[in-house]
Amino acid sequence: FQAEDGIRDKLVTGVQTCALPICEQAIGSNSYDTVAFGATVYNVGNHFNTSTSIFTVPVTGLYQFNFGLYIYPVIYIEMHLYVNNSQYQRFQPASNSGGSETNPNGARASTSVILAAGDAVKLVAWVPDAGGIWNGGPYSSYFQGYLVG
């Protein structure tokens, strides 16, 4: 593997995180709530803070973020990626995944973002009616980010 401008060094040292909620989280009706990811599957470089659910960018570069949320008993959710406490991008599913108000419904999205060292990234959820983010069984909510280069 050969790369120029130190990209190989950035990839080798690794900036990767994958976070999961550790419990169910209530989301208020018509409110924007930061999703609480209290545990990590991996957190290379320790750039994801499980207390604040914020990923702090260690080096300037292109980052890939993948995330998914399962909710109940509501059937609609919007996910918003925030950078430095400002909405960067809104993700809205075309329709709910199950159509039932009793079973978890969800949305998944991914995006690539050019970020500067020190930027703070978090996931915010919005639902029209009060509900909860669910994590359990085959339904997992997650937040994953990594440096592309």
Side-chain angles (χ1 to χ4, degrees):
F1 182 126
Q2 290 188 345
E4 298 192 26
D5 298 324
I7 292 173
R8 181 181 182 279
D9 293 335
K10 291 178 186 176
L11 295 174
V12 170
T13 56
V15 175
Q16 301 178 29
T17 191
C18 182
L20 303 172
I22 55 172
C23 60
E24 297 173 12
Q25 177 185 351
I27 300 291
S29 177
N30 200 29
S31 66
Y32 293 85
D33 296 324
T34 299
V35 180
F37 292 103
T40 57
V41 176
Y42 52 86
N43 193 6
V44 178
N46 293 314
H47 303 291
F48 187 85
N49 184 322
T50 55
S51 298
T52 62
S53 296
I54 291 176
F55 175 80
T56 302
V57 175
V59 295
T60 299
L62 177 65
Y63 287 80
Q64 175 70 32
F65 292 98
N66 308 305
F67 36 87
L69 297 177
Y70 282 91
I71 58 163
Y72 73 98
V74 296
I75 59 173
Y76 178 83
I77 187 169
E78 288 180 7
M79 299 178 297
H80 301 257
L81 190 69
Y82 273 57
V83 177
N84 300 326
N85 286 320
S86 294
Q87 181 179 302
Y88 174 80
Q89 194 168 3
R90 172 182 159 200
F91 302 90
Q92 178 181 358
S95 63
N96 67 70
S97 62
S100 168
E101 292 187 7
T102 57
N103 293 319
N105 297 286
R108 294 182 180 143
S110 64
T111 188
S112 298
V113 186
I114 296 175
L115 297 167
D119 283 348
V121 179
K122 66 181 178 179
L123 189 62
V124 172
W126 178 89
V127 292
D129 301 305
I133 294 175
W134 194 66
N135 191 49
Y139 306 103
S140 292
S141 296
Y142 62 92
F143 176 89
Q144 179 186 42
Y146 57 90
L147 175 66
V148 176

